[in-house]
Amino acid sequence: MQPNGRIALELTPQSNAIDALPDLPLEHADRISVPARPGFVTVSGAVVNNNAFLWRPGRTAGDYVKLAGLDEAAEPSSMFILRADGTVSHANDSKGLFGFGGLQKQPLYPGDAVIVPNQLDYETWGRALVRNLKDWSQIFSQFGLGAAAIQTLRNN
């Protein structure tokens, strides 16, 4: 039988016994396959270095994001952690004191992935400068046209 999906078992990284598995209804020919424990954490998305980094005990999501380096187009307030067991932790789910630092302070476990999305309305300073110069040139040209129209009316 072909498996039709993945089930998040919500096991802790310290779980290493069969007793830690939740009660699952199994049918004939079902198998539970537990992959080898990976030794890395992946950081991807709007970061300078999309990479897998060696897992170190005690490192937090913020530590790994610093290792990867945030891109200027990053939206860290929308980042999320995809846990190795299939569950997801989102920045909005875990706000710290005054709404800051919740997700960045969460410890990561082997096989976890941190995803940092891009800003949806990202604009570089160069694009903003060109847009503003265009707006101001339109305003000044309209003043010039208005002044020329008033001068023409005065001369007639």
Side-chain angles (χ1 to χ4, degrees), residues 50-98:
N50 284 295
N51 210 342
F53 297 96
L54 289 177
W55 176 77
R56 301 274 186 238
R59 277 194 182 162
T60 63
D63 294 334
Y64 284 103
V65 169
K66 283 180 189 174
L67 285 173
L70 280 179
D71 188 69
E72 61 183 14
E75 184 68 52
S77 63
S78 295
M79 77 179 200
F80 58 96
I81 299 171
L82 177 59
R83 299 282 183 190
D85 69 355
T87 59
V88 174
S89 298
H90 191 272
N92 292 336
D93 297 340
S94 57
K95 297 281 187 187
L97 185 63
F98 302 113

Side-chain angles (χ1 to χ4, degrees), residues 10-72:
E10 300 180 27
L11 297 171
T12 64
Q14 295 79 20
S15 300
N16 58 6
I18 194 90
D19 297 341
L21 288 173
D23 290 332
L24 295 172
L26 298 176
E27 297 177 2
H28 182 68
D30 283 350
R31 284 188 298 168
I32 294 177
S33 175
V34 180
R37 181 178 170 165
F40 58 86
V41 169
T42 306
V43 182
S44 62
V47 292
V48 177
N49 185 14
N50 284 295
N51 210 342
F53 297 96
L54 289 177
W55 176 77
R56 301 274 186 238
R59 277 194 182 162
T60 63
D63 294 334
Y64 284 103
V65 169
K66 283 180 189 174
L67 285 173
L70 280 179
D71 188 69
E72 61 183 14

Side-chain angles (χ1 to χ4, degrees), residues 98-143:
F98 302 113
F100 299 107
L103 191 71
Q104 300 237 2
K105 295 187 188 254
Q106 283 194 17
L108 292 185
Y109 303 108
D112 287 352
V114 180
I115 293 87
V116 183
N118 285 322
Q119 295 176 11
L120 293 178
D121 59 350
Y122 175 67
E123 184 176 50
T124 64
W125 68 269
R127 288 182 183 162
L129 176 67
V130 169
R131 182 179 47 81
N132 288 329
L133 287 174
K134 183 184 80 166
D135 292 345
W136 281 105
S137 67
Q138 287 177 343
I139 291 169
F140 286 129
S141 69
Q142 293 300 320
F143 278 134

